[in-house]
Amino acid sequence: EPLAPLVTAVVAPEEPNALGGALAAADRNIIAPILVGARAAISEAAAELGRPLDGIEIVDVPDHAAAAHAAVDLVADGRAGALMKGHLHTDDFLRAVLRSEVGLRTDRQLSHVFVMEIPMYHKLLLITDAAINIYPDLVQKAAIVQNAIDLLRQLDVDKPKVAALSAARRA
């Protein structure tokens, strides 16, 4: 039985690539997006894509930092189950995620995952932590891998195969 799409607060999908990624995930029934950002810019991006936004909730917040906070609030309140970064600076996004009063910080290692579907490849490809944990130690690497495994399980992948690569290998 297929999983229901994950309600996802998409922060600042105000340009065609950012909005297009969210809509592609929605088309594949992976997410049910709530678009959080400047309504006019989101509508303009949708027009450039030739895509209607009928039936998709838009939370109109014109400032990127405020949009990130509003999206985090949606997750903290249980209205959304995930966040997706759109066209905003990573520091604005993470500041909202990590804020002490209503952020999403837990006792687990913070990491992120890019989920990609490549037409010529037979399964999803995930790249984790390309920017947040610059030089993780072994304990942090284990936590990052566990976070990716947990995400794969949420995506209904029962037996994830993990290949760890390090760009900072030392001889």
Side-chain angles (χ1 to χ4, degrees):
E1 171 179 333
L3 294 176
L6 181 61
V7 177
T8 303
V10 184
V11 186
E14 301 168 350
E15 62 85 38
N17 286 326
L19 180 60
L23 294 177
D27 291 344
R28 289 167 179 76
N29 213 34
I30 297 169
I31 70 169
I34 299 174
L35 308 177
V36 184
R39 181 183 301 274
I42 293 169
S43 297
E44 185 176 311
E48 285 184 49
L49 293 169
R51 295 288 305 265
L53 296 176
D54 301 334
I56 297 176
E57 181 179 355
I58 300 174
V59 178
D60 188 15
V61 183
D63 172 78
H64 284 177
H69 286 276
V72 166
D73 290 346
L74 289 171
V75 174
D77 293 342
R79 288 206 45 226
L83 290 172
M84 182 175 181
K85 181 182 173 290
H87 190 67
L88 76 157
H89 290 287
T90 300
D91 58 340
D92 286 332
F93 184 74
L94 289 177
R95 196 170 292 114
V97 169
L98 296 174
R99 72 183 199 249
S100 59
E101 63 277 6
V102 186
L104 303 177
R105 179 172 246 164
T106 67
D107 59 348
R108 293 184 64 171
Q109 181 74 33
L110 179 69
S111 61
H112 77 287
V113 177
F114 294 115
V115 179
M116 295 178 280
E117 184 176 36
I118 301 170
M120 305 302 258
Y121 194 59
H122 64 285
K123 56 188 170 185
L124 292 176
L125 180 63
L126 283 75
I127 297 177
T128 186
D129 224 293
I132 293 178
N133 296 293
I134 306 303
Y135 294 107
D137 61 26
L138 187 59
V139 171
Q140 291 169 320
K141 287 179 183 178
I144 291 164
V145 170
Q146 187 61 56
N147 287 344
I149 291 169
D150 291 347
L151 173 63
L152 284 164
R153 287 185 176 144
Q154 289 294 314
L155 295 174
D156 208 24
V157 177
D158 289 329
K159 295 181 181 179
K161 294 180 182 174
V162 178
L165 302 175
S166 174
R169 289 188 184 155
R170 300 181 199 266

